[in-house]
């Protein structure tokens, strides 16, 4: 009952005209941040923190929070329309979202993404209200060994979603892991695989890689062929998901909500990993899993729902334990500290009214994003009416500017160009792009958790037999071995008749 009273008090504060205005501004800016390739929620939130220093703490955090979850949907727009992830967590959406655009269903893809985002975000926020303290304490039990097991599961799911060739998927994934090794060794602090270049000391820019391998490679392909994107007709009603679309997407939205909420509680897991896990779940459990990769609505609904559920549930460790669960949450934590607020248990005792106003604003902000984005589907899809050559030039400008503004370094532009060429080669050889990009994220996380686990156990690998860690590793091994069994079985049947 006390929680309900606190939440109602939070709504009273969040529904003031001033805070509603800042929530709206944050949602609009967040959507634009997500649309621009190379910017992303981390950079967008960090850049705008200085502008909020003179604001009321509640209004400042409400606006920055709206930028955070608004960008989750914004990144979907360019993923679906232009095959260019606006931010890392939308990389998986490219797989089916862009195929839906090619079929003239861009509006449906964006509509179901908005609906899924609203459902996932709202449910996750309700979870923050109901179960913040018990679930936050559970997160303390997830140590490095469990985290390593979860990474093994994520890597195995890459193979599960690869589709045609496991060998090609593994090749792509290994290349991503090798790229992830570039930079400063996290244990001994020595440079590795930098070839004497100071630009590589911080590793290869992930954003430059995804902008190049998805965006630039698509431009290179489009420059040599006529675009096959269909025109959109029929007005707004014709572009929204119909009943059949909603029935197909509903199970994916449900699974995405559970996956996103659960992974958001684990500090260190990013929205990219969550989207990957959701897509892997669809490849295993969806009735239409064979259509994934060809424009299946489940391939958009699941990852987008999981991504937004993750974004909101990732606030639970921050609010209850003071632990940032992702890079963007870390930036938000910095904003809290700048405003004189310390995230953690003391937040609810010393600044209870601020904490609950921010939580209430999450419900309001998710509704604003839904209201804001669904009517604007026609605006976003009108991008397709721009002449092909002009559109490619505009995208190229965004790619170059977005890559440069990561670190304000021309080197990142060359990285983007290099991986654009790599992406083009991969497309020609029919090698999947997603494993490379996503292992680039998983690699550092897996290495860090492996080393921390072995430091705790003083080199004893039996630490990975802890229940949760062992469970994740066994499930990952099962997922990895399942395709091998399917390959070997036909081969055995072909040999027996000849014998």
């Amino acid at each position: 009952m006390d929680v309900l009273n606190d939440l109602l008090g939070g709504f009273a504060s969040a529904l003031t005209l001033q805070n509603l205005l800042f929530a709206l501004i944050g949602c609009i800016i967040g959507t634009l941040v997500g649309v621009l390739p190379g910017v992303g929620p981390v950079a967008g939130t960090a850049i705008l923190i200085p502008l909020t220093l003179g604001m009321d703490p509640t209004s400042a955090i409400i606006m920055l929070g709206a930028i955070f979850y608004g960008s989750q949907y914004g990144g979907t727009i360019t993923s679906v329309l232009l095959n260019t992830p606006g931010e890392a967590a939308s990389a998986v959406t490219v797989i089916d979202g862009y195929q839906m655009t090619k079929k003239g269903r861009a509006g449906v893809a964006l509509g179901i993404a908005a609906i899924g985002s609203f459902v996932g975000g709202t449910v996750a926020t309700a979870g923050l209200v109901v179960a913040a303290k018990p679930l936050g304490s559970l997160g303390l039990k997830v140590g490095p060994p469990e985290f390593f097991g979860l990474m093994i599961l994520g890597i195995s799911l890459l193979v599960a979603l690869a589709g045609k060739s496991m060998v090609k998927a593994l090749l792509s994934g290994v290349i991503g892991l090798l790229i992830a090794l570039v930079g400063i060794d996290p244990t001994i602090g020595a440079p590795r695989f930098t070839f004497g270049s100071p630009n590589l000391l911080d590793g290869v820019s992930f954003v430059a890689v995804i902008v190049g391998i998805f965006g630039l490679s698509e431009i290179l392909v489009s420059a040599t062929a006529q675009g096959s994107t269909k025109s959109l007709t029929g007005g707004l009603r014709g572009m929204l998901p119909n009943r059949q679309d909603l029935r197909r997407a509903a199970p994916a939205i449900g699974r995405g909500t559970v996956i996103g909420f659960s992974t958001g509680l684990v500090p260190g897991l990013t929205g990219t990993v969550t989207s990957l896990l959701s897509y892997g779940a669809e490849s295993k459990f969806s009735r239409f899993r064979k259509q994934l990769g060809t424009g299946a609505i489940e391939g958009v609904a699941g990852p987008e729902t999981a991504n937004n559920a993750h974004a909101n549930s990732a606030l639970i460790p921050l609010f209850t334990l003071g632990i940032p669960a992702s890079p963007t949450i870390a930036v938000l934590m910095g904003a809290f500290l700048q405003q004189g607020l310390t995230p953690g248990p003391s937040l609810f005792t010393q600044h209870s009214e601020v904490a609950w106003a921010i939580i209430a604003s999450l419900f309001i902000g998710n509704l604003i994003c839904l209201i804001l984005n669904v009517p604007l589907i026609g605006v976003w899809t009108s991008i397709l009416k721009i002449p092909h050559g002009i559109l490619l030039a505009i995208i190229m400008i965004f790619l170059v500017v977005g890559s440069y503004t990561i670190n304000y370094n021309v080197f990142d532009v060359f990285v983007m160009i290099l991986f654009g060429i790599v992406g083009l080669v991969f497309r020609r050889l029919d090698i999947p792009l997603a494993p490379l990009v996503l292992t680039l994220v998983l690699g550092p996380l897996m290495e860090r958790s492996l080393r921390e686990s072995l430091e705790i156990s003083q080199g004893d690998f039996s630490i990975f037999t802890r229940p949760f860690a062992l469970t994740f590793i066994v499930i990952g091994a099962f997922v990895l071995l399942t395709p091998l069994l399917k390959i070997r079985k036909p081969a055995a049947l072909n040999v027996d008749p000849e014998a």
Side-chain angles (χ1 to χ4, degrees), residues 173 203 241 276 415 447:
L276 164 65
V415 170
E447 179 188 10

Side-chain angles (χ1 to χ4, degrees), residues 69-317:
Y69 49 76
S71 66
Q72 309 300 317
Y73 177 78
T76 310
I77 296 169
T78 49
S79 296
V80 170
L81 298 183
L82 307 174
N83 201 34
T84 303
E87 45 97 21
S90 298
V92 176
T93 309
V94 168
I95 300 172
D96 282 278
Y98 189 62
Q99 292 300 320
M100 291 184 68
T101 295
K102 286 185 173 182
K103 295 179 179 179
R105 307 194 75 215
V108 174
L110 292 176
I112 206 67
I115 294 171
S117 297
F118 172 75
V119 172
T122 302
V123 171
T125 305
L128 172 59
V129 173
V130 174
K133 291 183 179 179
L135 290 177
S137 61
L138 179 63
L140 286 176
K141 298 180 181 179
V142 178
E146 290 76 18
F147 195 77
F148 178 76
L150 199 55
M151 293 300 98
I152 292 294
L153 177 59
I155 293 291
S156 64
L157 285 173
L158 288 175
V159 178
L161 65 84
K164 299 179 182 178
S165 173
M166 178 188 294
V167 175
K168 290 182 177 180
L170 286 173
L171 174 63
S172 179
V174 168
I175 292 174
L177 288 173
L178 291 175
I179 297 170
L181 293 175
V182 176
I184 299 292
D185 186 290
T187 301
I188 64 177
R192 62 184 183 187
F193 305 117
T194 60
F195 305 102
S197 173
N199 292 305
L200 293 174
L201 291 176
D202 291 329
V204 180
S205 170
F206 173 76
V207 176
V209 171
I210 66 168
V211 168
I213 206 165
F214 283 110
L216 182 56
S217 65
E218 179 64 28
I219 288 181
L220 295 176
V221 171
S222 299
T224 56
Q226 290 293 329
S228 59
T229 301
K230 298 181 180 179
S231 298
L232 298 170
T233 58
L236 178 61
R237 179 175 297 179
M239 292 189 291
L240 289 175
N242 55 35
R243 290 185 180 180
Q244 182 181 358
D245 293 324
L246 293 173
R247 282 197 297 269
R248 281 189 55 170
I253 290 174
R255 285 187 287 266
T257 300
V258 173
I259 292 171
F261 181 79
S262 302
T263 56
L265 300 175
V266 182
L269 280 184
T270 64
T272 308
V273 178
T274 300
S275 299
L276 164 65
L277 292 173
S278 175
Y279 196 91
E282 294 311 306
S283 70
K284 290 294 179 184
F285 302 113
S286 173
R287 288 176 53 200
F288 305 93
R289 54 184 174 273
K290 292 183 179 179
Q291 297 179 20
L292 289 173
T294 64
I297 197 168
E298 294 84 357
V300 175
E304 285 303 312
T305 302
N307 181 26
N308 281 267
H310 176 278
N312 286 45
S313 70
L315 294 171
I316 293 178

